């Protein structure tokens, strides 16, 4: 697998200020594969994607994309890297002053010199793919949360990127759209050979489409494996996730230093 | 590239801007003298220019014919040399005289030109030789005071006696 | 002891912070200049911003210019009439407007109308990750978002100032000639005799060009530098208006000292 690795994190550590988020993480994503990253809220999944896109730089270790260290790229290399990358932001990040059409057309207009008629066809095709053709005249403020996210997805795939980073593509979608989007992501991977990293909380749906799963907890990779391995894993981490249990090795609560009772100022009780 | 209403508005905006600037230069400022080739220069030396300033008007019979564009001190003879930029359409004879006048009692100072009788005209760069200096109010009052005081001292003993 | 030291320490921190920001804003200015190619080549981007910064400021500029001119006419007449020189009203109105009031007031209005809007817009784009999304798409936000706004401001400001001047002179004319009854010919000829194209008109417009640069630079910088939260954007907007006002007045002093 490592011989064909396209994206590789080698012993990466990252901290915001002096709060460590990721510690000594290593993972590989083979060319053309779709990999899911799961983990509790605030465990650093988005941060991991930001490391790959070069928005934040690892303090230790290397983030290799096609053999090149993202942390050491010149601005020209970084431009090239981002040019073949698409990213779906967790909160969509649509351009609020542009219409839906112009949002999806944005990367095409910025990076190509295609005639307007061709851009129109491309945009309508992408909007059709996410099931939102007919919304092109709307402004982002007129969209629902789930619609905005699907438009953002259409924008991210507008230039058929070689690398796709999806930050929670399934959140806020109804079951039907969810199925369509999952299929779209899978199809993109199969048809275009895109290497993709998908952060998701939807264990069951993602297990159907991904090639490999990494579980992040406590700043480390807690578990990994193929969907089959995950389903039959005996690891308590994995079981808790797959079953969605509130208590287990993964704690629901952010590690606070005092108990809730103490925080409320109730005396005498010790947690 | 398709045209939009924004283009129309911005076009209108720029047109308004150009119109405003044209109005300011033609109607508010007088573009006429000082515009390049249409002018010629003369110099005039004065013992004292008083409060004359650069940009002060040059008038002949009360008509503005140009402006003072430079004032400097000739360090050889210690006189003030004023450079006048005049409109080409106003030509003056070689024996024209220049004097520094004041508009009203305390108004701004300007140069007045009085046409002479010589048939030859002054050419660009020539010097006006007939000049009379500014009337400096302080000196005038000073002179008046001293003469008054002298008269006073002559009269004074007579009075005390 | 500590209570005594605290204000001094705060003052020190404030001034270090100010110098830091000054350095940052200078670097930002250079970055805008270096990334201006797109806003000039794809001029539509800039035209769009001229619409928002310039065209939408027309009303406030026209109305304020008219009123300022009328006030100048009224006050100027009262003062000049005492010295028997009411004839010079046209010159007084035009000179005050062209040299100082026009460029300065138009810039102050521009800062509060368009500068604050630019800051809020860019700040919100930052807060909602739009700038980040842009740079992840290999599009430089300084070239795509900041530079067109900067140039739009630089283009709009002299136009607005010229319009302000014209409206002001018209206001002075209304009061002086139509209302008080001065002679229209005297009004205009006094103005023309005393206003110099280069000294007064051109220098005034050069001033407004500098003001336009300063205000838009501050506005786009504050937006770009805003803390990406609602409170951060709102305080950045306030800072734009306050800083612009101070910079306009200080710059006006410096430019006046140089020019006149
Ligand atoms: N810009 C930032 N500055 C400081 N800390 C940050 C910043 N962004 C995120 N963090 C912190 O980093 C940690 C990981 O954040 P991240 O966004 O990667 O979480 P996540 O796994 O994507 O969570 P979620 O599933 O809720 O999106 C969080 O605890 C968060 O508080
Ligand atoms: Mg996240």
């Amino acid at each position: 697998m490592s011989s064909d690795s396209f994206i590789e994190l080698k012993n990466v550590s990252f901290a915001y200020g002096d709060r460590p988020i990721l510690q000594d993480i290593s993972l590989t994503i083979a060319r053309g594969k779709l990999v899911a990253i799961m983990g509790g809220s605030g465990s650093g999944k988005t941060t991991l994607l930001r490391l790959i896109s070069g928005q934040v730089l690892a303090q230790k270790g290397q983030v290799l994309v096609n053999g090149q260290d993202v942390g050491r790229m010149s601005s020209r290399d970084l431009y090239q890297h981002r040019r073949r990358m698409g990213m779906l932001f967790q909160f969509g990040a649509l351009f609020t002053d542009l219409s839906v059409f112009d949002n999806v057309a944005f990367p095409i207009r910025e990076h190509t010199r295609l005639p307007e008629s061709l851009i129109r066809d491309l945009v309508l095709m992408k909007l059709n793919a996410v099931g939102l053709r007919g919304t092109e005249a709307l402004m982002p403020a007129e969209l629902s949360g789930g619609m905005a996210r699907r438009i953002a997805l259409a924008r991210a795939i507008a230039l058929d990127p070689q690398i796709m980073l999806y930050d929670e593509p399934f959140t806020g979608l109804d079951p039907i759209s969810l199925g369509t989007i999952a299929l779209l992501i899978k199809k993109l991977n199969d048809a275009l050979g895109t290497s993709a990293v998908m952060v998701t909380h939807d264990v069951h749906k993602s297990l159907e489409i991904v090639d490999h799963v990494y579980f992040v907890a406590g700043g480390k990779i807690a578990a990994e494996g193929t969907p089959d391995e995950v389903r039959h894993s005996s690891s308590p981490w994995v079981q808790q996730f797959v079953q969605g249990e509130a208590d287990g090795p993964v704690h629901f609560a952010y590690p606070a230093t005092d108990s809730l009772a103490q925080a409320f100022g109730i005396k005498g009780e010790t947690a | 590239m398709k045209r939009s209403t924004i283009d129309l508005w911005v076009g209108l905006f720029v047109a308004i801007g150009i119109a405003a600037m044209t109005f300011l230069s033609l109607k508010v400022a007088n573009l006429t003298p000082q515009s390049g080739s249409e002018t010629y220069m003369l110099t005039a030396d004065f013992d004292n220019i008083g409060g004359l300033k650069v940009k002060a008007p040059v008038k002949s019979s009360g008509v503005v014919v140009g402006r003072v564009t430079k004032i400097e001190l000739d360090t050889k003879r210690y006189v003030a040399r004023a450079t006048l930029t005049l409109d080409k359409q106003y030509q003056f004879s070689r024996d024209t005289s220049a004097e520094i006048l004041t508009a009203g009692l305390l108004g701004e100072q300007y140069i007045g030109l009085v046409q002479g009788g010589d048939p030859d005209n002054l050419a660009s760069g020539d010097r006006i030789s007939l000049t009379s200096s500014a009337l400096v109010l302080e000196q005038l009052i000073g002179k008046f005071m001293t003469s008054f005081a002298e008269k006073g001292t002559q009269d004074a003993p007579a009075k005390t006696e | 002891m500590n209570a005594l030291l605290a204000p001094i320490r705060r003052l020190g921190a404030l001034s270090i912070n100010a110098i830091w920001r000054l350095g940052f804003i200078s670097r930002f200015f250079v970055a805008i200049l270096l990334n201006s190619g797109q806003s000039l080549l794809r001029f539509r981007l800039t035209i769009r911003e001229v619409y928002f910064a310039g065209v939408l400021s027309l009303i406030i500029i026209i109305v304020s210019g008219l009123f300022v001119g009328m006030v100048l006419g009224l006050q100027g007449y009262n003062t000049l009439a005492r010295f028997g020189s009411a004839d010079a009203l046209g010159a007084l109105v035009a000179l005050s407007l062209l040299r100082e009031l026009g460029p300065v007031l138009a810039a102050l209005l521009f800062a509060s109308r368009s500068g604050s809007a630019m800051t809020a817009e860019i700040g919100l784009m930052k807060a909602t990750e739009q700038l980040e999304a842009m740079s992840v798409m290999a599009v430089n936000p300084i070239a795509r978002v900041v530079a067109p706004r900067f140039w739009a401001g630089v283009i709009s400001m002299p136009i607005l100032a010229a319009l302000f001047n014209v409206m002001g002179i018209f206001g002075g004319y209304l009061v002086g000639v139509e209302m008080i009854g001065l002679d229209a010919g005297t009004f205009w000829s006094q103005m023309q005799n005393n206003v110099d194209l280069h000294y007064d008109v051109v220098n005034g417009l050069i001033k407004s060009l500098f003001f336009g640069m300063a205000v838009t630079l501050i506005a786009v910088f504050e937006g770009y530098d805003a803390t990406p939260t609602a409170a951060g954007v709102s305080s950045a907007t306030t800072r734009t208006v306050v800083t612009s006002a101070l910079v306009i007045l200080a710059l006006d002093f410096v430019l006046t000292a140089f020019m006149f």
Side-chain angles (χ1 to χ4, degrees):
Chain A
M1 182 163 172
S2 64
S3 63
D4 198 24
S5 71
F6 192 54
I7 302 172
E8 188 172 4
L9 272 68
K10 278 188 181 165
N11 311 102
V12 169
S13 298
F14 179 81
Y16 277 117
D18 40 40
R19 222 173 89 220
I21 308 292
L22 299 173
Q23 284 156 353
D24 203 25
I25 288 224
S26 295
L27 58 82
T28 0
I29 293 140
R31 196 181 294 274
K33 295 285 188 235
L34 176 56
V35 169
I37 296 186
M38 299 183 193
S41 195
S43 57
K45 306 178 298 295
T46 299
T47 309
L48 219 145
L49 294 188
R50 288 161 66 91
L51 280 165
I52 298 174
S53 68
Q55 288 163 271
V56 294
L57 303 180
Q59 274 111 12
K60 270 191 227 138
Q62 288 178 302
V63 180
L64 299 172
V65 175
N66 208 3
Q68 257 189 314
D69 188 349
V70 175
R72 298 188 177 195
M73 281 181 178
S74 64
S75 55
R76 180 176 294 265
D77 288 341
L78 193 64
Y79 172 86
Q80 286 303 333
H81 165 50
R82 288 177 169 176
R83 191 56 193 72
R84 14 172 237 245
M85 185 185 77
M87 183 161 184
L88 171 67
F89 279 76
Q90 187 167 2
F91 302 105
L94 289 180
F95 301 129
T96 39
D97 57 337
L98 299 181
S99 69
V100 164
F101 183 93
D102 290 333
N103 259 286
V104 181
F106 183 86
I108 310 176
R109 285 190 178 138
E110 293 297 318
H111 291 304
T112 69
R113 297 199 173 280
L114 297 179
E116 199 58 26
S117 62
L118 203 59
I119 292 180
R120 194 182 155 70
D121 292 348
L122 274 173
V123 170
L124 291 186
M125 217 166 77
K126 300 297 174 190
L127 283 177
N128 198 36
V130 296
L132 286 175
R133 199 156 53 83
T135 60
E136 53 269 21
L138 297 181
M139 293 305 282
E142 299 166 312
L143 300 173
S144 75
M147 283 162 85
R149 192 170 264 291
R150 278 147 76 195
I151 301 292
L153 179 61
R155 185 180 68 178
I157 61 174
L159 284 172
D160 296 331
Q162 294 171 22
I163 305 168
M164 267 305 305
L165 307 176
Y166 303 98
D167 201 344
E168 309 196 3
F170 301 141
T171 319
L173 298 187
D174 62 274
I176 301 168
S177 321
L178 197 154
T180 324
I181 298 300
L183 213 66
L184 174 69
I185 290 175
K186 181 72 185 152
K187 221 160 58 190
L188 219 65
N189 244 59
D190 293 344
L192 298 172
T194 307
S195 313
V197 186
M198 177 169 76
V199 169
T200 179
H201 295 300
D202 197 299
V203 184
H204 299 283
K205 198 75 205 171
S206 47
L207 285 184
E208 284 174 25
I209 58 171
V210 300
D211 299 305
H212 206 84
V213 183
Y214 287 96
F215 288 92
V216 182
K220 297 203 170 8
I221 302 284
E224 63 167 299
T226 60
D228 269 340
E229 287 168 354
V230 168
R231 282 194 197 97
H232 306 113
S233 167
S234 56
S235 153
W237 291 100
V238 179
Q239 280 313 312
Q240 191 197 347
F241 240 92
V242 176
Q243 310 303 333
E245 288 154 5
D247 238 343
V250 181
H251 293 289
F252 162 70
Y254 190 89
T257 45
D258 53 0
S259 75
L260 190 62
Q262 281 167 332
F264 284 168
I266 303 167
K267 289 203 191 101
E269 281 184 81
T270 40
Chain B
M1 204 187 263
K2 54 182 192 301
R3 283 200 276 172
S4 66
T5 44
I6 283 187
D7 295 333
L8 177 69
W9 276 109
V10 172
L12 201 65
F13 178 65
V14 173
I16 288 176
I18 292 172
M21 287 179 200
T22 315
F23 176 80
L24 290 180
S25 17
L26 292 181
K27 185 84 187 159
V28 174
N30 51 346
L31 199 58
T32 28
Q34 276 179 345
S35 48
S37 58
E38 313 268 296
T39 60
Y40 69 106
M41 299 215 278
L42 298 176
T43 60
D45 292 349
F46 298 94
D47 293 332
N48 194 330
I49 55 160
L52 187 75
K53 296 201 173 56
V54 170
K55 273 178 66 194
V58 178
K59 297 182 183 177
S60 183
S61 308
V63 177
V64 177
V65 293
R67 290 196 184 269
V68 177
T69 44
K70 199 159 120 194
I71 295 174
E72 63 200 329
L73 185 65
D74 177 350
T75 48
K76 284 209 190 85
R77 300 192 294 128
Y78 282 86
V79 291
R81 168 164 301 159
T83 306
L84 322 178
T85 302
L86 305 180
D87 198 317
K88 259 230 160 89
Q89 62 175 306
Y90 302 118
Q91 298 288 335
F92 291 92
S93 70
R94 297 182 64 89
D95 57 346
T96 293
S97 64
E99 55 186 329
I100 296 177
L101 300 167
T102 307
L105 184 59
L106 297 170
E108 59 163 3
Q109 291 190 298
Y110 64 94
I111 292 183
L113 297 181
V114 179
Q115 172 76 329
D118 198 307
D120 291 333
N121 281 339
L122 287 163
S124 185
D126 283 356
R127 190 159 64 87
I128 300 171
S129 42
L130 284 170
T131 62
S132 61
S133 290
L135 212 61
V136 179
L137 204 63
E138 292 94 320
Q139 287 178 0
L140 207 68
I141 294 172
K143 264 185 206 154
F144 179 70
M145 293 296 276
T146 42
S147 70
F148 187 76
E150 273 165 17
K151 228 168 109 189
T153 44
Q154 280 165 10
D155 293 352
K159 264 188 188 168
T160 42
E161 267 180 280
Chain C
M1 194 63 203
N2 234 340
L4 277 174
L5 278 178
I8 299 175
R9 201 172 289 147
R10 224 181 31 237
L11 202 70
L14 271 178
S15 36
I16 288 175
N17 189 33
I19 292 171
W20 204 312
R21 288 171 69 80
L22 195 65
F24 194 26
I25 201 170
S26 314
R27 206 155 54 92
F28 191 68
F29 183 49
V30 174
I32 291 177
L33 295 185
L34 290 179
N35 287 296
S36 290
Q38 234 191 50
S39 34
L40 303 178
L41 289 177
R42 293 168 64 192
F43 203 62
R44 281 187 66 86
L45 292 178
T46 309
I47 287 184
R48 202 184 116 93
E49 300 308 329
V50 171
Y51 177 78
F52 288 113
V55 176
L56 296 185
S57 307
L58 277 177
I59 300 291
I60 187 171
I61 289 287
I62 287 175
V63 174
S64 319
L66 196 65
F67 278 120
V68 167
M70 287 165 73
V71 170
L72 267 180
L74 218 51
Q75 291 283 22
Y77 176 78
N78 284 339
T79 312
L80 288 176
R82 276 189 224 174
F83 301 102
S85 36
D87 283 351
L89 185 65
L92 176 91
V93 169
L95 285 178
S96 338
L97 279 168
L98 289 168
R99 289 181 166 198
E100 299 295 335
L101 293 179
V104 170
L105 292 182
L108 290 175
L109 291 170
F110 181 75
S112 28
R113 162 66 186 73
S114 301
S116 58
M118 276 186 199
T119 305
E121 198 184 5
I122 296 179
L124 271 176
M125 288 182 83
K126 185 181 182 187
T128 51
E129 286 189 306
Q130 294 180 45
L131 295 184
E132 185 108 37
M134 215 174 260
S135 70
V136 168
M137 284 186 227
V139 175
N140 185 345
I142 293 191
R144 183 64 174 67
V145 173
V146 174
R149 283 171 172 74
F150 175 75
W151 289 113
V154 174
I155 293 170
S156 304
M157 192 67 258
I159 296 181
L160 293 174
L163 190 63
F164 189 97
N165 287 336
V166 170
M167 292 315 296
I169 288 169
F170 181 59
Y173 172 86
L174 280 185
V175 169
V177 176
E178 302 292 334
M179 214 173 97
I180 298 175
L182 296 177
D183 178 55
T186 317
F187 184 87
W188 290 115
S189 67
Q190 275 289 329
M191 194 185 290
Q192 289 176 352
N193 272 337
N194 288 288
V195 173
D196 184 89
L197 178 69
H198 175 252
Y199 275 92
D200 303 318
V201 179
V202 175
N203 275 352
L205 291 180
I206 290 176
K207 264 189 186 180
S208 67
L209 199 67
F210 275 99
F211 293 162
M213 283 191 182
V215 170
T216 11
L217 179 63
I218 291 169
V220 291
F221 173 76
E222 289 293 355
Y224 201 79
D225 190 47
T227 313
T229 58
V233 173
S234 97
S235 76
T237 311
T238 310
R239 265 205 311 276
T240 293
V241 177
V242 174
T243 318
S244 296
L246 294 177
V247 168
I248 288 167
L249 296 173
L251 201 58
D252 184 46
F253 174 74
V254 174
L255 289 174
T256 305
F258 261 103
M259 286 173 167
F260 298 110

